[in-house]
Amino acid sequence: MQAFAELLDRLVLTPQRNAKIRLMADYFRTAPDPDRGYALAAIAGTLDIATVKPALLRQLMLERMDPILFQYSYDYVGDLAETISLVWETVEPDEAEVADLSLGAVIHRLQSAGRGDVRGLVRDLLDRLDGSARYAFLKLVTGSMRIGVSARLVKQALADMGGVDASEIETLWHGLEPPYLSLFSWLEGHSERPALSMPAVFHAVMLATPVADGDLTNLDPQDYAAEWKWDGIRVQLANLDGTRRLYSRSGDDISAAFPDILEAVDFEGIIDGELLVGGTARTNRATRTFSDLQQRLNRKTVTRKTIEDYPAFVRGYDLLFSREGDMRPLPFSERRAALSGLIEAASPTHFDLSPLVSFSSWKEIDQLRIAPPDPVIEGIMLKRWDSPYQSGRAKGPWFKWKREPYNIDAVLMYAQRGHGKRSSYYSDFTFGVWTEVDGKQVLVPVGKAYFGFTDAELEILDRFVRNNTVERFGPVRSVRATADHGFVLEIAFEGINRSTRHKSGVAMRFPRIARLRADKLPRDADRLETLMAMIPAGTVEEMDGDLSS
Amino acid sequence: MKADSLLYPTPKGLYCEKGGFYIDPVQPVERALITHGHADHARAGHQAVLATRQTLEIMAVRYGEAFCQTPQEAPLGKEMRIGDVTVHFHPAGHVLGSAQIAVEAEGMRIVVSGDYKRRRDPTCLSFEPVPCDVFITEATFGLPVFHHPDDAEEVGKLLTSLKQFPERAHLVGAYALGKAQRVIMLLREAGYDAPIFIHGALARLCDYYQREGIDLGPLEPATITGRDKSAFAGRVVIGPPSAFADKWARRFPEPMAVFASGWMLVRQRARQRGVELPMVISDHCDWAELTATIAELRPGEVWVTHGREEALVRWCELEGIAARPLHLVGYDDEGE
């Protein structure tokens, strides 16, 4: 338990992606079975144990602690599990009994405990574990790990550990179960690659590279098919031998949130497509925006009402497996023809085909890209007609060519120190635009950006912040920002929606600093009205908070 | 005599009228008794200062020889007469030179513990329990949440990380007096014998510790002159916590923010400060040590000062020990 607890503590405080991967890979290399497999399950969210309500933990605590002292402690720490982990006094065990406190043993006891045994079991384990192990245990049994590690990241750590490609892990993932003994054995070279027992597994998706300057110059437009890049989420839908699954692009199983789609599948095979909400092209109703789709994402279950209000469908891009077998080695043109026939026969409200865009020159397709016919389009995909379906991101067979991002000029208002390598720099920037309040022109914050700039630009921004600080609030500084004195930033972003969470009433998607505009004065920056006009008509408000809670 | 006429709080600090002196005054006074050399307890500008030899020398290192007009050494354990009261100093186990001060008159003895800790510290003498009528205790970590772990384990985390991330400079934030030297000693005890780089603000105090016979091993200034940036990769650099948010930190390759403080026990505190590797090492008592000390001394009354007074006062109430908060102002939290 101790090594797992230390891993969690380090992961929570480590901001860098690569450092997290190294911490996890090192843990997987050194921890024994089955502990490491259960740790993997806990991090990836595949661990199935009975959870304990916070109220029970509080009761257990108050059995042995003065309520006033507990309250002082809780007020100070702010997190129930952490408070209990810190105030609980470890009980020295009797000499005779040596309890197995390995992660595997703890999980095993939790899984085999009956409903009535849980209380006593939790109390006993709290007594025996110490400090950070107690914290890790409480996080496990309350089912709230929140350690900032995605399933994708942990799979990358496994890939690093075994020296294999992450797509291999993704492909195997859903056929395996905790504590993943066969997976680790394979990664360490002790056994063959695990055989998959379930056919409807995830197959790592094929990705496109962005079009860079000159990429297309020597390519023949005749060799490529073009289709719109839709602004939903990329999914893989499988129905083989009676097993149906919907996976996100990184291989997360999101079936539970989309029963409407799973029920509607009446074909055998695995298709690649875009998950969207609204009406399919076949029903002649409009595709709705990404913020509408968000109402359906990150849910464990979904209500009938939500399904009715936000009907989901899959827009087909590709066919990986058909009833006949593996389609991936075939050229795109053949897969596409087979997909077309399959979708034609499928439920018209839940499936349609991503239309091809005809073009004869790169210039023509560039113009279409800049002015797409639908607001839910975020660019163009170019696919070689003869390309097989291969996992990962090879350069050449598929390109993505996004429409231009939105751009505004905004004024730097606040800056916060970064983390890790950037902890001596002010590198998180809040920016604002002008609006009128009570007849006066004021800046209202509209977003926050912490990337997009070069190291040299960061030096300039950091120096400006340090030399123009007006007020400090902990790690945050507010900087001079008046009509004639301040720093103008050109902000690029992918989309914009209404939001009740933000004072300005708008929320941007992926804002980043595109350029420093030292040539402009704050008075030249954009106004809130300009941003409001960019919001697509008829969109709903962005949801507050965490969608899964 | 009554305890609160022997010693009572004033805006300048804890005052003894019968002896005409203040203990750890926060403003310049005629006569000051100082428990230890931390800046919030030992300030410059008093006329006469009575403290242990080491505390006086630490004050001279920090403020210059002219930090007061008349320094006077208080040998540990020796009874001294000041006005109508008797005082004696005893080790407090907090930092080098730190002492508790016992003040006695007409059969009433009050012990001002200053800051103290009970666990072993290779850089200073251990706390000595002094029986008393009133015990004035600090409460910096006076909440049941604070259980400081074994410091060797905490240093072990740093040693593990040096191996795991050999390309990164490990910047350890540690208070310049006491904590920095203790962390260095703990590293040496764990077998780490490579040179340790120190920030300029630590140099003179580390020199002083070495002169006092505390062998800190090879130390080098953390300057880049004549040195490639990569010289710091996989090395330990120790400096005051404030330096790591400063431009100073940019000279190091991929700095890893480490912080040695009792506050690091609470994860949110570490997160807020951007600390990647917290080391829970404190020069104060944790909750268990505070309550064990009070239980051991069993004073007639406990006065609680700087920190989270209310929880410790509550604990004393539950144990049937008279206690009250002593609202003194001007003392900082550790390392903040």
Side-chain angles (χ1 to χ4, degrees), chain A residues 224-236:
Chain A
Y224 283 84
E227 59 185 323
W228 301 118
K229 186 176 188 326
W230 297 92
D231 188 16
I233 65 166
R234 182 94 176 270
V235 290
Q236 192 171 99

Side-chain angles (χ1 to χ4, degrees), chain B residues 96 181 184-185 188 198 203-219:
Chain B
L96 184 62
Q181 295 80 15
I184 294 170
M185 280 304 281
R188 298 307 184 204
I198 56 170
R204 289 194 308 156
L205 283 166
C206 286
D207 285 349
Y208 176 73
Y209 268 62
Q210 305 256 43
R211 287 203 300 276
E212 283 296 295
I214 295 156
D215 184 8
L216 302 177
L219 304 180

Side-chain angles (χ1 to χ4, degrees), chain B residues 34-37 51-56 58 76 89-100 123-125 208-209:
Chain B
I34 307 279
T35 58
H36 66 285
T52 63
R53 175 183 61 82
Q54 287 164 330
T55 296
L56 291 174
I58 286 166
L76 289 168
F89 286 53
H90 301 270
H94 178 55
V95 295
L96 184 62
S98 69
Q100 313 169 70
T123 68
C124 66
L125 296 173
Y208 176 73
Y209 268 62

Side-chain angles (χ1 to χ4, degrees), chain A residues 117-369:
Chain A
D117 307 332
V118 171
R119 190 187 179 94
L121 177 59
V122 171
R123 189 197 288 118
D124 184 55
L125 286 168
L126 287 173
D127 277 347
R128 288 161 196 280
L129 296 167
D130 71 353
S132 66
R134 193 155 46 221
Y135 177 73
F137 167 69
L138 286 168
K139 286 286 164 186
L140 271 178
V141 294
T142 50
S144 58
M145 298 297 285
R146 288 178 194 273
I147 47 170
V149 173
S150 64
R152 195 179 180 76
L153 209 59
V154 71
K155 286 170 201 164
Q156 185 61 52
L158 292 168
D160 283 11
M161 174 201 171
V164 299
D165 196 83
S167 64
E168 290 201 63
I169 308 282
E170 287 177 347
T171 300
L172 286 171
W173 186 248
H174 292 281
L176 304 172
E177 284 183 349
Y180 302 107
L181 300 179
S182 60
L183 174 67
F184 284 112
S185 171
W186 168 60
L187 290 173
E188 287 184 333
H190 301 316
S191 63
E192 291 298 301
R193 193 183 145 105
L196 297 172
S197 54
M198 189 183 78
V201 296
F202 176 74
H203 296 268
V205 300
M206 180 159 174
L207 300 167
T209 51
V211 172
D213 278 348
D215 272 353
L216 302 177
T217 319
N218 297 318
L219 300 176
D220 186 350
Q222 303 273 344
D223 292 337
Y224 283 84
E227 59 185 323
W228 301 118
K229 186 176 188 326
W230 297 92
D231 188 16
I233 65 166
R234 182 94 176 270
V235 290
Q236 192 171 99
L237 176 64
N239 180 20
L240 286 174
D241 294 351
T243 308
R244 298 169 184 212
R245 290 280 188 279
L246 185 65
Y247 297 111
S248 74
R249 172 188 127 144
S250 54
D252 294 327
D253 185 345
I254 54 171
S255 310
F258 296 93
D260 42 345
I261 288 183
L262 291 196
E263 278 162 28
V265 184
D266 53 4
F267 51 82
E268 286 248 320
I270 300 182
I271 65 167
D272 177 335
E274 195 83 5
L275 181 69
L276 294 158
V277 299
T280 60
R282 299 161 73 199
T283 57
N284 231 349
R285 282 169 29 235
T287 305
R288 286 156 62 181
T289 63
F290 186 81
S291 68
D292 280 13
L293 174 62
Q294 276 185 319
Q295 311 296 317
R296 293 286 308 264
L297 299 178
N298 300 325
R299 289 173 184 276
K300 290 209 173 76
T301 57
V302 63
T303 63
R304 181 173 298 274
K305 169 113 173 65
T306 305
I307 291 176
E308 277 170 17
D309 291 348
Y310 301 96
F313 69 92
V314 173
R315 182 155 286 163
Y317 286 146
D318 215 319
L319 182 64
L320 279 65
F321 285 80
S322 71
R323 190 201 299 271
E324 283 74 39
D326 196 348
M327 301 286 285
R328 292 175 296 173
L330 302 178
F332 174 69
S333 53
E334 285 182 40
R335 298 198 308 274
R336 166 93 195 177
L339 175 71
S340 172
L342 180 142
I343 297 244
E344 193 58 41
S347 156
T349 50
H350 293 95
F351 301 98
D352 67 7
L353 188 63
S354 170
L356 294 180
V357 182
S358 65
F359 70 108
S360 52
S361 69
W362 296 127
K363 190 160 183 266
E364 187 185 350
I365 201 75
D366 190 15
Q367 278 160 357
L368 287 163
R369 170 183 74 91

